[in-house]
Amino acid sequence: MKTDLKAPTWATIVGVIVVILGALGIFNGAQDVALDAPIIINYSEPIMAFEFGLIDGRPVSVTFNSDYTTATLQPTVPFEPGRPYEARIKSKDLAGNEMPQAYVWTFSTRQ
């Protein structure tokens, strides 16, 4: 799997939310991704929980670690083989500061 180790950063007037696509997750531009691969997102600070997400219209379940700094998005329906996907996240920290724009990344699944 190809990886992009640059962490996108969003600054807000009150605080900063840094999103790092985890070492076990799916990085921007990743190729040959398993059809049931989770997306693991690490945050620089606790965020408000969310329960459900979509990746290109495909549902994913969402779980968090105990301090809400890591979210794991797990496809509830496997990705289709050999297809590009686009994922996006937009989160709020516990103070209610929202990322000013969604972080969008792409990946492709294995054949």
Side-chain angles (χ1 to χ4, degrees):
M1 177 169 23
K2 294 183 180 179
T3 60
D4 177 359
L5 298 178
K6 296 177 185 170
T9 305
W10 290 269
T12 63
I13 294 172
V14 177
V16 176
I17 299 173
V18 179
V19 177
I20 304 165
L21 298 179
L24 300 175
I26 299 172
F27 291 91
N28 189 31
Q31 298 177 7
D32 200 36
V33 171
L35 303 182
D36 61 350
I39 296 175
I40 300 170
I41 304 165
N42 295 303
Y43 294 91
S44 62
E45 62 185 271
I47 63 158
M48 291 185 180
F50 51 94
E51 297 178 5
F52 180 77
L54 295 172
I55 296 176
D56 272 354
R58 300 182 82 76
V60 294
S61 65
V62 182
T63 57
F64 289 90
N65 68 340
S66 62
D67 66 359
Y68 292 90
T69 57
T70 300
T72 301
L73 286 62
Q74 182 68 51
T76 58
V77 176
F79 295 121
E80 295 175 19
R83 180 174 181 263
Y85 283 91
E86 179 180 279
R88 64 181 58 233
I89 55 168
K90 188 170 184 180
S91 305
K92 289 183 184 180
D93 66 15
L94 296 180
N97 301 308
E98 186 172 21
M99 294 164 48
Q101 63 190 32
Y103 175 62
V104 179
W105 73 101
T106 59
F107 60 94
S108 298
T109 52
R110 64 178 49 135
Q111 289 289 345

